[in-house]
């Protein structure tokens, strides 16, 4: 996809996650999409990847994201609301995009990545 198309897919992914819109998220993922969850060895493909991605949705507002890039691919710094009601660094989501949608998601659960990508501990204000 063009850079503009990749940015649009990333923006739609972020919106779907932040609003817990399972239908929108499933629509963005290609039928053969993959989902990897390092540092664990867990990964999913196809329908299982869609189900795994949607299972990550909680209540609207639980996730916060900010667009970035990782290895030349669209990515999002990720914060998750904790029991204290505040958002805390969670990690990074790196997308593999194509003209037909999101072909892969690598969701890295490493809070240190948020800072390493130049983001503060608190998510950007909306």
């Amino acid at each position: 996809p063009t850079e503009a198309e990749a940015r649009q897919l990333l923006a739609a992914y972020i919106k779907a996650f932040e609003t817990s819109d399972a239908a929108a998220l499933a629509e963005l993922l290609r039928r053969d999409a993959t989902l990897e969850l390092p540092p664990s060895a867990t990964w999913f493909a196809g329908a299982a990847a869609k189900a795994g991605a949607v299972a990550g949705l909680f209540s609207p507002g639980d996730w916060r994201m900010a667009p970035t890039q990782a290895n030349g691919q669209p990515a999002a710094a990720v914060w998750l609301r904790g029991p204290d009601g505040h958002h805390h660094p969670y990690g990074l989501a790196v997308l593999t995009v194509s003209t037909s949608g999101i072909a892969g998601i690598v969701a890295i659960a490493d809070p240190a990545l948020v800072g390493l990508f130049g983001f503060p501990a608190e998510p950007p204000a909306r």
Side-chain angles (χ1 to χ4, degrees), residues 5-30:
E5 290 170 330
R7 279 194 312 268
Q8 288 175 336
L9 279 170
L10 177 60
Y13 171 82
I14 289 172
K15 181 178 179 185
F17 238 87
E18 289 186 340
T19 60
S20 296
D21 188 339
L25 181 58
E27 182 69 27
L28 291 169
L29 297 173
R30 290 182 1 175

Side-chain angles (χ1 to χ4, degrees), residues 1 5 16 31 35 37 43 45 54 60-61 63 75 89 98 108 113 115 120 125-126:
E5 290 170 330
R31 186 177 311 165
L35 171 63
L37 304 166
W43 68 276
V54 169
W63 294 102
S98 72
I108 307 163
L113 289 174
R126 293 277 182 247

